[in-house]
């Protein structure tokens, strides 16, 4: 579908001719290609330097791109195959310009989309999709926390993915425990701890792949804290020799985390060597310079962003500040065509076509287009207030749980209150066919539903406020935020980023299409295509189905998602007269949170 989106608007396409004289100057000629339709498009050609980078991170399985017609999804419609064609074209341009261009990824290949998560029974998450990721000419990739929640996924990376990367898959502070040839368990790095290599133009590179202090990893995987890693003997040895530049790739946000620890350790030995940092994990677009000869870039999530960094070196004054640029590209064919600059048309390469076809075959094998019903409208995670008719949280609480959990349930006729947490939802749900893929994208977690029978309504109605109040206490907030962050939770950081964009909307032009509006700590404009911010509204941690209109002493079923059982019991224990313990808790239905939207859609959206 998205492949036919090649309608070009009134674009000015850069035609670039590089001089072969190697002095780094370029003549740019512009040709106007005009058609009638007006379309959101990049506003300026990329600025190339001597060393250039294309960066992806946190793709989480969105390898066929965003496929829904609702705004702004078409802006992210480029799939991994189209991206591969773009990379090939850019590599050719780098040769013409006589500069280096490297392709980098900062991890989180697992969890987020049916292409990775919709595998049939007996499969392993991302095993099939990663075969196509490995076909792209990545120079360096780093491990993410989502590679470590389930040992089988890490083992699959170790056994099947890492060997394909020819020593360029880095896990400086992450190990896996496997059996050695004598059947003895040994802890070994998942990929390489570091790699030294030369660029096409012969520049010497020393590269590391660092994971932030992650604590949610599975048994038989090990994450060493960043501060401990830089004290290791191997680290000192790896950075001792001076390369032409350090390439620090890692699944760690470029601000408010531990990059300075790694940066300072390198700087202590090499005060002026260029350091290029590519981070990830908080799913935002972000950039900062730790000094005048370094830049740190983070390139969003879900193939909604392709990052660009260029570094122009001052050859006459080799210790001077480096002239950097960075850009956040919306991955779609218009963007790619604009920047490959040949004829305003991005030619599919054999590799690109093979990657797209291979991913489509996975979607077919996994039956991802299996349709449960048709969503009548868009439902948003944070673009609409809660409660409201546009909120997916309202949809879940008011319709999906009451209707979906009632299917094949002998307790259907007993009044109830159903409670779940808003964190069980991961993505917007868009108008149109609602498929297995959409279920996995929006509500992926395999949580079950429990209940306590015969709870007086007057007692049951106190549970939701109790849960949300516990969630709001300042003390809990600090401790829990820290703990949740260590375990991999990034929605707080991502939501703050989105809220900030929405709060600054008054200063943004009103006539642009919706999208990210990035304000980072690097000079110049970052977003390749200017946008108006998406609305942002906060939501409570916990939500509940409507309260039955009954006498307060009426006895109802108190239904809740399994992992809040102890919180629910703890709140009930503080209510006078309520005597419940874990023996009071029963299974409500075999339907899981990762199925309930589909069950609902079959009932209500057909
Ligand atoms: C980006 O999305 C907007 C809707 O928000 C649409 O008008 C525009 O055509 C899209 N651009 C591309 C290149 O798909
Ligand atoms: C972890 O590895 C050890 C062997 O090294 C094995 O005995 C144990 O079962 C593993 N634990 C899990 C949960 O896989
Ligand atoms: C990781 O593996 C290496 C190589 O086996 C070992 O020397 C090191 O102690 C391990 N690190 C951790 C934190 O387990
Ligand atoms: C990571 O762990 C170290 C202790 O090893 C601690 O000092 C540091 O603050 C932690 N970093 C973050 C961002 O929590
Ligand atoms: C070099 O960059 C640093 C950090 O960005 C800045 O403080 C300094 O003023 C710059 N020096 C020059 C000569 O521009
Ligand atoms: C929201 O949906 C409810 C139930 O379908 C309906 O009664 C109400 O009018 C809707 N509100 C708006 C503002 O559309
Ligand atoms: C409900 O029961 C019917 C008949 O046994 C079955 O076909 C259907 O899959 C069940 N649905 C759910 C959600 O359990
Ligand atoms: C938005 O309006 C500004 C002037 O207010 C104009 O310069 C710009 O071209 C407009 N952009 C679009 C995409 O229409
Ligand atoms: C609630 O029901 C009880 C018992 O059925 C009855 O005694 C009481 O008056 C009712 N209260 C209200 C407010 O209807
Ligand atoms: C729950 O309480 C009942 C009595 O109220 C008791 O018989 C039972 O053993 C308790 N169960 C647990 C798991 O504590
Ligand atoms: Zn991620
Ligand atoms: Zn992550």
């Amino acid at each position: 579908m998205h492949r036919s989106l090649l309608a070009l608007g009134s674009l000015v396409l850069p035609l670039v001719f590089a001089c072969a004289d190697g002095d780094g100057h370029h003549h740019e000629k512009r040709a106007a290609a005009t058609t009638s339709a007006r379309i959101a498009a990049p506003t300026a050609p990329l600025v190339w330097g001597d060393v250039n980078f294309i960066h992806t991170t946190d793709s989480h399985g969105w390898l066929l791109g965003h496929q829904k017609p609702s705004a702004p999804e078409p802006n992210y419609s480029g799939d991994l195959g189209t991206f591969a064609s773009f990379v090939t074209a850019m590599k050719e341009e780098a040769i013409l310009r006589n500069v280096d261009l490297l392709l980098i990824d900062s991890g989180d290949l697992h969890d987020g989309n049916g292409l990775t998560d919709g595998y049939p029974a007996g499969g392993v998450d991302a095993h099939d999709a990663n075969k196509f990721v490995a076909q792209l000419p990545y120079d360096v990739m780093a491990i993410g926390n989502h590679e470590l929640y389930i040992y089988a996924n890490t083992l699959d990376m170790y056994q099947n993915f890492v060997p394909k990367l020819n020593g360029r898959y880095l896990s400086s502070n992450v190990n896996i425990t496997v059996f050695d040839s004598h059947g003895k368990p040994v802890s070994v790095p998942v990929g390489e701890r570091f790699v030294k290599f030369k660029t096409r133009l012969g520049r010497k590179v020393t590269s590391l792949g660092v994971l932030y202090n992650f604590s949610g990893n599975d048994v038989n995987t090990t994450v060493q804290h960043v501060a401990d890693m830089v004290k290791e003997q191997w680290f000192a040895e790896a950075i001792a020799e001076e390369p032409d530049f350090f390439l620090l790739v890692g699944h760690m946000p470029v601000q408010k985390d531990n990059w300075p620890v790694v940066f300072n350790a390198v700087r202590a030995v090499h005060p002026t060597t260029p350091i290029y940092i590519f981070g990830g994990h908080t799913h935002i677009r972000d950039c900062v310079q730790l000094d005048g000869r370094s830049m740190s870039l983070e390139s969003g999530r879900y193939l909604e962003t392709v990052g660009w960094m260029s570094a122009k070196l001052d050859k006459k004054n080799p210790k001077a500040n480096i002239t950097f640029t960075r850009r956040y590209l919306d991955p779609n064919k218009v963007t790619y065509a604009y920047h490959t600059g040949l004829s305003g048309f991005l030619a599919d390469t054999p590799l690109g076509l093979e990657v797209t076809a291979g991913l489509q075959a996975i979607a077919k094998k996994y039956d991802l287009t299996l349709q449960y019903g048709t969503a009548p409208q868009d439902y948003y995670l944070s673009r609409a207030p809660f409660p409201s008719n546009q909120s997916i949280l309202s949809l879940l609480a008011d319709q999906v749980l009451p209707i979906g959990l009632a299917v094949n349930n002998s307790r259907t006729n007993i009044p109830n209150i159903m409670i779940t947490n808003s964190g069980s939802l991961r993505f917007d749900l868009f108008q149109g066919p609602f498929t297995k893929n959409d279920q996995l994208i929006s509500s992926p977690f395999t949580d079950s539903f429990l209940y306590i029978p015969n709870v007086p309504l007057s007692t049951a109605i106190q549970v939701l406020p109790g849960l949300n109040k516990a969630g709001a206490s300042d003390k809990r907030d600090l401790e829990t935020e820290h703990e949740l962050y260590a375990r991999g939770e990034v929605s707080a950081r991502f939501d703050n980023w989105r809220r900030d964009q929405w709060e600054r909307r008054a200063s943004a032009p009103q006539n642009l299409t919706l999208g990210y509006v990035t304000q980072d700590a690097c000079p110049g404009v970052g977003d390749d295509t200017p946008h108006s911010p998406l609305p942002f509204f906060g939501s409570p941690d916990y939500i509940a189905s409507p309260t039955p209109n009954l006498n307060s002493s009426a006895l109802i079923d108190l239904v809740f998602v399994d992992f809040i059982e102890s919180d629910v019991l703890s709140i009930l224990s503080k209510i006078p007269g309520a005597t419940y313990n874990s023996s009071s808790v029963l299974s409500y239905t075999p339907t899981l949170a990762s199925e309930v939207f589909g069950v609902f859609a079959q009932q209500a959206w057909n």
Side-chain angles (χ1 to χ4, degrees):
M1 241 347 191
H2 51 287
R3 303 204 119 248
S4 63
L5 274 174
L6 196 67
L8 290 179
S10 49
L11 295 181
V12 176
L13 300 161
L15 286 181
V16 180
F17 303 94
C19 298
D21 55 12
D23 68 355
H25 83 271
H26 309 288
H27 305 294
E28 297 199 350
K29 210 165 94 185
R30 285 158 163 266
T34 38
T35 58
S36 51
R38 184 168 198 98
I39 223 170
T43 44
L46 295 172
V47 177
W48 288 72
D50 300 292
V51 183
N52 307 276
F53 302 90
I54 294 175
H55 181 219
T56 55
T57 189
D58 295 270
S59 52
H60 288 284
W62 286 79
L63 306 177
L64 277 173
H66 293 238
Q67 300 170 320
K68 301 288 178 179
S70 301
E73 296 298 283
N75 292 189
Y76 317 132
S77 57
D79 68 24
L80 192 73
T82 315
F83 177 64
S85 299
F86 173 65
V87 169
T88 301
M90 294 294 273
K91 290 237 175 197
E92 284 165 6
E93 183 161 345
I95 292 171
L96 286 177
R97 290 175 175 271
N98 199 32
V99 297
D100 278 318
L101 174 63
L102 286 83
L103 179 61
I104 310 294
D105 184 86
S106 297
D108 272 7
L109 298 175
H110 294 84
D111 305 332
N113 191 287
L115 270 184
T116 44
D117 312 348
Y119 57 88
V124 174
D125 191 277
H127 172 83
D128 291 332
N130 278 348
K131 287 178 190 157
F132 296 96
V133 175
Q135 289 199 27
L136 273 79
Y138 276 103
D139 291 282
V140 175
M141 302 186 90
I143 198 164
N145 59 304
H146 277 266
E147 276 72 80
L148 300 171
Y149 284 104
I150 296 173
Y151 179 78
N153 297 351
T154 320
L155 185 65
D156 182 53
M157 296 298 281
Y158 175 75
Q159 290 178 329
N160 300 310
F161 189 73
V162 170
K164 296 203 183 90
L165 269 280
N166 299 319
R168 301 296 185 85
Y169 189 80
L170 303 184
S171 65
S172 302
N173 58 338
V174 182
N175 276 17
I176 181 170
T177 301
V178 292
F179 295 107
D180 69 8
S181 53
H182 307 293
K184 244 185 71 206
V186 284
S187 176
V188 293
V190 179
E192 302 299 322
R193 280 171 160 170
F194 65 93
V195 62
K196 297 184 181 190
F197 64 96
K198 278 190 179 163
T199 65
R200 193 181 62 82
L201 293 179
R203 291 188 173 91
K204 287 198 289 180
V205 184
T206 298
S207 190
L208 297 161
V210 186
L211 179 64
Y212 84 105
N213 284 1
F214 173 54
S215 69
N217 54 307
D218 204 353
V219 290
N220 290 341
T221 70
T222 317
V223 180
Q224 182 182 39
H225 278 185
V226 178
D228 296 328
M229 177 195 77
V230 301
K231 292 180 201 140
E232 292 270 359
Q233 181 66 23
W234 71 260
F235 181 87
E237 286 166 11
I239 66 164
E241 183 194 6
E242 186 183 18
D244 289 305
F245 62 84
F246 284 95
L247 176 55
L248 306 184
V249 182
H251 198 74
M252 177 153 72
V254 296
Q255 302 206 68
K256 298 186 198 152
D257 209 303
N258 284 150
W259 272 121
V261 172
V262 189
F263 176 85
N264 292 338
V266 175
R267 270 287 171 262
V269 186
H270 304 289
T272 59
T273 312
I275 302 179
Y276 309 125
I277 297 179
F278 294 89
H281 182 58
T282 42
H283 294 178
I284 70 175
R285 296 176 170 187
D286 201 8
C287 180
V288 67
Q289 286 188 253
L290 296 178
D291 69 17
R293 292 180 60 76
S294 173
M295 183 177 261
S296 311
L297 184 71
E298 183 173 348
S299 302
R301 63 164 196 182
Y302 298 174
L303 279 197
E304 294 170 347
T305 301
V306 167
W308 168 264
M309 185 195 290
S310 75
K312 193 157 174 43
L313 308 166
D314 186 338
K315 289 174 191 86
K316 296 203 189 79
N317 192 358
K319 308 269 184 223
N321 281 355
I322 295 171
T323 305
F324 285 103
T325 74
R326 57 81 183 78
R327 200 79 72 77
Y328 308 104
L329 279 57
D330 290 351
N332 60 62
K333 281 208 153 180
V334 173
T335 296
Y336 292 151
Y338 181 94
H339 289 303
T340 45
L342 296 172
S343 57
F345 177 78
L346 174 71
D348 290 316
T349 60
L351 172 66
L353 292 173
E354 187 186 334
V355 168
T356 299
L359 293 169
Q360 282 168 346
I362 294 173
K364 195 158 176 220
K365 176 176 156 195
Y366 291 4
D367 205 9
L368 296 183
T369 54
L370 174 69
Q371 189 177 338
Y372 300 119
T374 304
Q377 58 164 82
D378 293 347
Y379 297 93
Y380 303 125
L381 210 48
S382 55
R383 273 166 68 181
F386 173 85
S388 81
N389 285 1
Q390 242 111 40
S391 163
I392 188 175
L393 283 72
S394 290
L395 174 71
L396 177 61
D398 297 346
Q399 299 183 56
V400 173
L401 293 181
I403 294 171
L405 296 187
V407 172
N408 294 354
N409 194 328
S410 59
R411 303 199 60 90
T412 304
N413 295 322
I414 299 163
N416 59 59
I417 290 180
M418 298 172 162
I419 302 178
T420 189
N421 75 323
S422 50
S424 73
L425 297 170
R426 184 165 59 189
F427 201 70
D428 297 336
L429 192 166
F430 293 107
Q431 181 172 23
F434 182 78
T435 64
K436 178 178 170 189
N437 197 34
D438 300 320
Q439 160 78 72
L440 290 171
I441 284 170
S442 289
S443 179
F445 303 106
T446 51
D447 301 318
S448 58
F449 292 93
L450 308 172
Y451 79 111
I452 301 175
N454 302 322
V455 178
L457 182 59
S458 58
T459 300
I461 56 171
Q462 297 181 56
V463 175
L464 179 71
L467 286 167
N468 277 324
K469 199 165 152 215
S473 104
D474 290 348
K475 182 163 169 292
R476 186 215 85 128
D477 251 13
L478 271 183
E479 276 168 21
T480 314
E481 289 296 308
H482 196 79
E483 168 66 10
L484 288 175
Y485 184 78
R487 298 188 61 78
E489 183 57 50
V490 297
S491 59
R493 293 269 192 105
F494 183 77
D495 286 354
N496 281 342
W497 184 61
R498 292 256 292 96
R499 181 184 293 110
D500 176 59
Q501 293 172 47
W502 180 236
E503 285 172 356
R504 284 189 284 106
R505 68 189 176 278
S507 60
Q510 300 299 301
N511 58 350
L512 303 174
T513 58
L514 291 174
Y516 296 125
V517 184
T518 308
Q519 202 169 64
D520 58 24
C522 289
V525 175
D527 295 319
D528 188 48
T529 300
H531 291 292
S532 291
L534 296 154
F536 180 86
F537 299 91
S539 49
D541 290 342
Y542 300 89
I543 55 178
S545 60
T547 304
N549 187 13
L550 295 172
N551 186 325
S552 67
S553 56
L555 301 179
I556 67 160
D557 284 346
L558 177 65
V559 182
F560 49 89
V561 68
D562 60 0
F563 75 91
I564 64 171
E565 175 179 348
S566 60
D567 300 306
V568 169
L569 287 172
S570 152
I571 286 164
L572 287 172
S573 73
K574 288 172 197 134
I575 298 172
T579 53
Y580 305 97
N581 61 23
S582 57
S583 305
S584 331
V585 178
L586 308 168
S587 168
Y588 190 66
T589 166
T591 301
L592 303 174
S594 57
E595 300 164 343
V596 68
F597 275 85
V599 173
F600 162 79
Q602 281 173 320
Q603 299 292 310
W605 285 350
N606 262 309

